[in-house]
Amino acid sequence: MAEASSLIGKLETEVELKASAGKFHHMFAGRPHHVSKATPGKIQSCELHEGDWGKVGSIVFWNYVHGK
């Protein structure tokens, strides 16, 4: 039986955007599943585990590359 990961923490970075802050917020907060389409080299996928897309309190699983 595989052991579940218990990795919890905070990830912070600086990113140059080619869009307005409003468009970025709309995508990241309201449509996080579109982030992987915009950044396929860094974020592979985003899965909704609980709740609704873009709603406060929803649980989202991010699959991303770190330190490449």
Side-chain angles (χ1 to χ4, degrees):
M1 187 163 138
E3 186 176 323
S5 174
S6 61
L7 181 62
I8 297 174
K10 203 179 223 186
L11 178 65
E12 189 174 315
T13 189
E14 289 185 27
V15 178
E16 185 177 334
L17 300 175
K18 295 180 181 179
S20 69
K23 285 183 180 181
F24 174 77
H25 181 265
H26 176 72
M27 180 176 66
F28 204 83
R31 299 171 186 233
H33 52 291
H34 289 194
V35 175
S36 62
K37 293 177 185 173
T39 60
K42 299 291 181 189
I43 299 174
Q44 283 73 46
S45 65
C46 172
E47 299 174 19
L48 182 66
H49 281 274
E50 189 175 304
D52 295 313
W53 288 115
K55 301 293 182 185
V56 175
S58 296
I59 298 174
V60 178
F61 175 80
W62 293 90
N63 183 16
Y64 61 91
V65 174
H66 181 276
K68 203 173 190 185

